[in-house]
């Protein structure tokens, strides 16, 4: 079955991608989702919601000792965001590549940050940096029941 093929090909990896408040404000929600969708990745979960500072502090807990941590968490809770889970082959690494470098001035044109932003603190999107972080972030942002279990009708056109 297709499910067996996907499991065998290692296509079940998941990452956590989030459109930040600046990305929402600038009307980039559709474009960012479309890039993952068009590439062939499978959407597993998505929300549109404002979260409180405590939640963002937990999300960025690894950066707690950085000077920009309070400002970052405050900004991230200043408006609605679009947290998402995307699934597919090598999607953690590829998601980061699609986002571009953390500093938009070092992001190549063609990447999300390289196409749409300039400043480090307004880099419009988040993506998990490892499978381990992805699992932690998915568990923080989504309840198990919010992860959709479905098969895309791509047949054998995305994966050989
Ligand atoms: P990442 O988002 O590319 O994974 P991280 O190092 O995890 O980058 O930092 C999280 C976010 O914190 C960045 O996306 C950026 O918005 C912000 N940030 C990172 N470094 C700085 C900094 O030196 N000054 C201000 N904001 C920063
Ligand atoms: Mg990070």
């Amino acid at each position: 079955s297709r499910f067996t093929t996907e499991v065998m090909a290692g296509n079940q990896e998941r990452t956590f991608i989030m459109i930040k408040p600046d990305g929402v404000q600038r009307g980039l929600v559709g474009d960012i989702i479309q890039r993952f969708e068009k590439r062939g990745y499978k959407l597993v979960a998505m929300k549109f919601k404002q979260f409180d500072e405590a939640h963002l502090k937990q999300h960025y807990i690894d950066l707690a000792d950085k000077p920009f941590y309070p400002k970052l968490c405050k900004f991230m809770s200043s408006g609605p965001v679009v947290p998402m889970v995307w699934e597919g082959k090598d999607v953690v690494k590829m998601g980061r590549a699609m986002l571009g470098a953390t500093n938009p001035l070092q992001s190549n044109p063609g990447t999300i940050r390289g196409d749409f932003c300039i400043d480090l603190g307004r880099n419009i999107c988040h993506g998990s940096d490892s499978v381990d972080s992805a699992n932690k972030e998915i568990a923080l942002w989504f309840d198990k029941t919010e992860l959709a279990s479905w098969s895309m009708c791509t047949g054998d056109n995305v994966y050989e």
Side-chain angles (χ1 to χ4, degrees):
S1 73
R2 191 185 312 152
F3 179 75
T4 311
T5 308
E6 282 178 8
V7 170
M8 286 173 67
N11 298 342
Q12 302 285 292
E13 188 175 296
R14 287 176 175 183
T15 194
F16 176 74
I17 301 289
M18 175 164 51
I19 305 170
K20 298 182 177 184
D22 44 342
V24 171
Q25 287 293 340
R26 295 187 51 207
L28 296 170
V29 169
D31 189 294
I32 293 169
I33 292 172
Q34 194 170 51
R35 287 172 185 235
F36 284 87
E37 208 178 22
K38 278 185 170 171
R39 183 107 196 220
Y41 287 124
K42 187 174 94 173
L43 182 61
V44 169
M46 177 165 65
K47 293 178 190 181
F48 178 70
K49 190 176 183 290
Q50 184 165 359
F51 291 82
D52 64 21
E53 210 172 324
H55 188 75
L56 271 304
K57 280 185 167 164
Q58 189 55 42
H59 172 73
Y60 281 124
I61 194 73
D62 292 348
L63 301 174
D65 59 345
K66 304 282 186 195
F68 58 85
Y69 177 70
K71 219 171 76 176
L72 172 66
C73 297
K74 201 174 167 103
F75 174 68
M76 289 295 295
S77 57
S78 69
V81 293
V82 184
M84 297 175 277
V85 178
W86 287 92
E87 182 181 288
K89 197 171 192 172
D90 219 9
V91 70
V92 173
K93 202 176 92 197
M94 198 46 67
R96 292 282 291 189
M98 289 165 71
L99 259 53
T102 300
N103 185 344
L105 291 181
Q106 274 137 40
S107 306
N108 289 325
T111 64
I112 294 165
R113 287 165 175 167
D115 285 348
F116 299 131
C117 51
I118 296 168
D119 251 6
L120 185 52
R122 294 292 183 271
N123 62 3
I124 70 171
C125 51
H126 166 86
S128 309
D129 61 10
S130 67
V131 173
D132 189 51
S133 322
N135 290 336
K136 280 187 203 149
E137 291 170 1
I138 292 167
L140 176 68
W141 289 87
F142 292 96
D143 187 84
K144 271 200 178 82
T145 61
E146 294 173 315
L147 306 174
S149 176
W150 66 295
S151 295
M152 274 179 96
C153 62
T154 49
D156 60 1
N157 295 295
V158 171
Y159 297 108
E160 187 179 4

